[in-house]
Amino acid sequence: MPKKLLLTMLAIPAMVGGLLFSAPAALADGELMVLPVSTRLFNAHPQMIKVRNVGDAPLYLSVSLEKVMNPGMYPEKKIMMRDMPHPGVLATPEKLTLGPNQSRDIRLTSLEEPTQEGVYRLYITPVHSLQVKDAPQDKITAPMSVAIGYGVLVRHMPVPRNQKSSWTHRCEGKQIILTNSGNIRVRLSDMKFTPVNKKNPATVGLFPGVPQSFTGSQIVMTVDDEPTTLSCP
């Protein structure tokens, strides 16, 4: 089953680094299943994300789409699509109601042909309203919502004939800086650094417009299934 994300909201949703806080299982009325958990989107080829209620009570879903401004980095910096002057992707509908064993599709539509790969997060969150009981009468309290939801990775891609995969590196002091010189993600895996630095990751997605720097004089790694060694003086 796809990995679930958890969201606890006190008046306003609060998310920390893409992982969401847990809540008692008894608070969930229905049980949500979402497929697929990642997808690639091309212009003029809408994609469907299927949501299904496999529980025995209704689910009320909130759907939101955010663009990742620094893909491959952590923590991610995201912008809500409604806050962008020219959004490139549309997700509809924004709200859904699912009865027990009912399923629906969320439609992802490309609004333009991207010149380079963009990354989005589609959040599908059941919403529950809870009344806080036994709260002090002299305190102001807000309704609390608890939800178990999903975050779907959406890669907005140039058409295959326009895709270019390439990358470069340069040495600056004790840093090795990697830059994507193409227009689609380059996957770096099995990364080993000299000298050893536990702060450096073992796997990296290198995206256009988002260079990444690493401390070390040498990197041995696999780049899109090709063994590669980089050395700096």
Side-chain angles (χ1 to χ4, degrees), residues 14-43:
M15 183 181 69
V16 180
L19 297 178
L20 310 170
F21 299 104
S22 62
L27 298 177
D29 294 331
E31 186 174 349
L32 177 64
M33 178 179 290
V34 176
L35 288 173
V37 293
S38 66
T39 189
R40 294 189 298 173
L41 177 66
F42 296 89
N43 197 41

Short mmCIF file of all heavy atoms in Angstrom, two decimals, residues 14-43:
data_model
loop_
_atom_site.label_atom_id
_atom_site.label_comp_id
_atom_site.label_asym_id
_atom_site.label_seq_id
_atom_site.Cartn_x
_atom_site.Cartn_y
_atom_site.Cartn_z
N ALA A 14 -0.48 22.38 9.35
CA ALA A 14 0.94 22.55 9.67
C ALA A 14 1.68 21.31 9.24
O ALA A 14 1.38 20.22 9.68
CB ALA A 14 1.12 22.78 11.17
N MET A 15 2.66 21.48 8.33
CA MET A 15 3.42 20.34 7.84
C MET A 15 4.89 20.59 8.09
O MET A 15 5.37 21.70 7.93
CB MET A 15 3.19 20.16 6.33
CG MET A 15 3.90 18.94 5.78
SD MET A 15 3.64 18.77 4.02
CE MET A 15 4.58 20.16 3.43
N VAL A 16 5.62 19.58 8.51
CA VAL A 16 7.04 19.70 8.78
C VAL A 16 7.78 18.75 7.86
O VAL A 16 7.70 17.54 8.01
CB VAL A 16 7.36 19.37 10.24
CG1 VAL A 16 8.85 19.50 10.49
CG2 VAL A 16 6.58 20.28 11.17
N GLY A 17 8.53 19.33 6.88
CA GLY A 17 9.39 18.55 6.02
C GLY A 17 8.72 17.42 5.27
O GLY A 17 9.34 16.42 4.96
N GLY A 18 7.42 17.54 4.93
CA GLY A 18 6.75 16.53 4.17
C GLY A 18 6.25 15.36 4.98
O GLY A 18 5.47 14.56 4.50
N LEU A 19 6.69 15.23 6.22
CA LEU A 19 6.19 14.19 7.10
C LEU A 19 5.22 14.84 8.07
O LEU A 19 5.48 15.90 8.60
CB LEU A 19 7.34 13.53 7.86
CG LEU A 19 8.35 12.80 6.98
CD1 LEU A 19 9.47 12.24 7.84
CD2 LEU A 19 7.67 11.68 6.20
N LEU A 20 4.11 14.18 8.31
CA LEU A 20 3.04 14.82 9.05
C LEU A 20 2.76 14.09 10.35
O LEU A 20 3.05 12.91 10.48
CB LEU A 20 1.79 14.87 8.16
CG LEU A 20 2.11 15.46 6.77
CD1 LEU A 20 0.93 15.27 5.85
CD2 LEU A 20 2.51 16.89 6.86
N PHE A 21 2.23 14.81 11.32
CA PHE A 21 2.06 14.27 12.66
C PHE A 21 1.01 13.18 12.71
O PHE A 21 0.06 13.17 11.96
CB PHE A 21 1.68 15.40 13.62
CG PHE A 21 2.72 16.46 13.70
CD1 PHE A 21 2.55 17.68 13.06
CD2 PHE A 21 3.89 16.24 14.41
CE1 PHE A 21 3.51 18.66 13.13
CE2 PHE A 21 4.85 17.22 14.48
CZ PHE A 21 4.66 18.44 13.85
N SER A 22 1.16 12.27 13.67
CA SER A 22 0.22 11.16 13.79
C SER A 22 -0.99 11.56 14.61
O SER A 22 -0.98 12.54 15.33
CB SER A 22 0.91 9.96 14.43
OG SER A 22 1.33 10.28 15.73
N ALA A 23 -2.02 10.72 14.49
CA ALA A 23 -3.26 10.96 15.23
C ALA A 23 -3.86 9.62 15.59
O ALA A 23 -3.60 8.61 14.94
CB ALA A 23 -4.24 11.76 14.37
N PRO A 24 -4.69 9.56 16.64
CA PRO A 24 -5.31 8.29 17.02
C PRO A 24 -6.12 7.70 15.88
O PRO A 24 -6.86 8.40 15.21
CB PRO A 24 -6.20 8.69 18.21
CG PRO A 24 -5.59 9.94 18.74
CD PRO A 24 -5.02 10.66 17.55
N ALA A 25 -6.01 6.39 15.67
CA ALA A 25 -6.71 5.74 14.57
C ALA A 25 -8.21 5.88 14.69
O ALA A 25 -8.93 5.88 13.70
CB ALA A 25 -6.31 4.26 14.51
N ALA A 26 -8.71 5.98 15.91
CA ALA A 26 -10.15 6.04 16.12
C ALA A 26 -10.77 7.30 15.52
O ALA A 26 -11.97 7.37 15.32
CB ALA A 26 -10.47 5.98 17.61
N LEU A 27 -9.93 8.30 15.19
CA LEU A 27 -10.46 9.55 14.65
C LEU A 27 -10.77 9.45 13.17
O LEU A 27 -11.42 10.31 12.61
CB LEU A 27 -9.45 10.68 14.90
CG LEU A 27 -9.16 10.97 16.37
CD1 LEU A 27 -8.10 12.06 16.47
CD2 LEU A 27 -10.42 11.38 17.10
N ALA A 28 -10.28 8.44 12.49
CA ALA A 28 -10.48 8.31 11.05
C ALA A 28 -11.80 7.61 10.79
O ALA A 28 -12.02 6.49 11.23
CB ALA A 28 -9.33 7.54 10.44
N ASP A 29 -12.72 8.27 10.03
CA ASP A 29 -14.03 7.70 9.72
C ASP A 29 -13.93 6.72 8.55
O ASP A 29 -14.51 5.65 8.58
CB ASP A 29 -15.03 8.81 9.39
CG ASP A 29 -15.32 9.67 10.59
OD1 ASP A 29 -15.24 9.15 11.72
OD2 ASP A 29 -15.63 10.85 10.40
N GLY A 30 -13.23 7.14 7.50
CA GLY A 30 -13.05 6.28 6.35
C GLY A 30 -11.57 5.98 6.19
O GLY A 30 -10.74 6.46 6.95
N GLU A 31 -11.26 5.18 5.19
CA GLU A 31 -9.86 4.86 4.92
C GLU A 31 -9.58 5.15 3.46
O GLU A 31 -10.25 4.63 2.57
CB GLU A 31 -9.56 3.41 5.26
CG GLU A 31 -8.07 3.07 5.14
CD GLU A 31 -7.77 1.66 5.60
OE1 GLU A 31 -8.66 1.05 6.21
OE2 GLU A 31 -6.65 1.18 5.35
N LEU A 32 -8.57 5.99 3.22
CA LEU A 32 -8.29 6.48 1.88
C LEU A 32 -7.18 5.68 1.21
O LEU A 32 -6.15 5.40 1.82
CB LEU A 32 -7.89 7.97 1.95
CG LEU A 32 -7.49 8.64 0.64
CD1 LEU A 32 -8.67 8.68 -0.32
CD2 LEU A 32 -6.98 10.05 0.92
N MET A 33 -7.40 5.35 -0.06
CA MET A 33 -6.36 4.76 -0.90
C MET A 33 -6.19 5.63 -2.13
O MET A 33 -7.17 6.07 -2.74
CB MET A 33 -6.72 3.34 -1.31
CG MET A 33 -5.69 2.68 -2.23
SD MET A 33 -6.14 0.98 -2.69
CE MET A 33 -5.90 0.17 -1.11
N VAL A 34 -4.93 5.91 -2.50
CA VAL A 34 -4.62 6.77 -3.64
C VAL A 34 -3.61 6.05 -4.54
O VAL A 34 -2.58 5.56 -4.06
CB VAL A 34 -4.05 8.13 -3.19
CG1 VAL A 34 -3.64 8.97 -4.39
CG2 VAL A 34 -5.06 8.88 -2.34
N LEU A 35 -3.88 6.02 -5.84
CA LEU A 35 -2.97 5.43 -6.82
C LEU A 35 -2.99 6.26 -8.10
O LEU A 35 -4.07 6.68 -8.53
CB LEU A 35 -3.36 3.99 -7.13
CG LEU A 35 -3.10 2.95 -6.03
CD1 LEU A 35 -3.71 1.61 -6.44
CD2 LEU A 35 -1.61 2.80 -5.76
N PRO A 36 -1.82 6.48 -8.73
CA PRO A 36 -0.49 6.15 -8.25
C PRO A 36 0.02 7.20 -7.26
O PRO A 36 -0.61 8.26 -7.11
CB PRO A 36 0.35 6.18 -9.54
CG PRO A 36 -0.31 7.25 -10.35
CD PRO A 36 -1.79 7.11 -10.07
N VAL A 37 1.15 6.93 -6.60
CA VAL A 37 1.71 7.90 -5.66
C VAL A 37 2.74 8.81 -6.34
O VAL A 37 3.25 9.73 -5.71
CB VAL A 37 2.33 7.21 -4.45
CG1 VAL A 37 1.25 6.53 -3.62
CG2 VAL A 37 3.40 6.20 -4.87
N SER A 38 3.05 8.52 -7.60
CA SER A 38 3.89 9.42 -8.39
C SER A 38 3.50 9.26 -9.85
O SER A 38 3.06 8.18 -10.28
CB SER A 38 5.38 9.12 -8.20
OG SER A 38 5.72 7.85 -8.70
N THR A 39 3.65 10.34 -10.62
CA THR A 39 3.26 10.30 -12.02
C THR A 39 4.04 11.33 -12.81
O THR A 39 4.56 12.30 -12.26
CB THR A 39 1.75 10.54 -12.17
OG1 THR A 39 1.36 10.29 -13.52
CG2 THR A 39 1.37 11.97 -11.81
N ARG A 40 4.12 11.12 -14.12
CA ARG A 40 4.69 12.10 -15.03
C ARG A 40 3.58 12.70 -15.88
O ARG A 40 2.71 11.97 -16.37
CB ARG A 40 5.76 11.46 -15.92
CG ARG A 40 6.99 10.98 -15.15
CD ARG A 40 8.11 10.55 -16.10
NE ARG A 40 7.71 9.44 -16.94
CZ ARG A 40 8.45 8.96 -17.96
NH1 ARG A 40 9.61 9.54 -18.25
NH2 ARG A 40 8.03 7.93 -18.65
N LEU A 41 3.63 14.01 -16.04
CA LEU A 41 2.57 14.73 -16.75
C LEU A 41 3.16 15.44 -17.96
O LEU A 41 4.14 16.17 -17.85
CB LEU A 41 1.92 15.75 -15.80
CG LEU A 41 0.83 16.65 -16.39
CD1 LEU A 41 -0.39 15.82 -16.78
CD2 LEU A 41 0.45 17.73 -15.39
N PHE A 42 2.53 15.22 -19.14
CA PHE A 42 2.94 15.86 -20.38
C PHE A 42 1.82 16.77 -20.87
O PHE A 42 0.64 16.52 -20.60
CB PHE A 42 3.28 14.82 -21.45
CG PHE A 42 4.46 13.95 -21.11
CD1 PHE A 42 4.29 12.77 -20.40
CD2 PHE A 42 5.73 14.32 -21.49
CE1 PHE A 42 5.38 11.97 -20.10
CE2 PHE A 42 6.83 13.53 -21.19
CZ PHE A 42 6.65 12.35 -20.49
N ASN A 43 2.20 17.78 -21.63
CA ASN A 43 1.21 18.69 -22.19
C ASN A 43 0.28 17.94 -23.14
O ASN A 43 0.72 17.08 -23.92
CB ASN A 43 1.90 19.83 -22.93
CG ASN A 43 0.97 21.00 -23.17
OD1 ASN A 43 0.19 21.37 -22.29
ND2 ASN A 43 1.03 21.59 -24.35
#
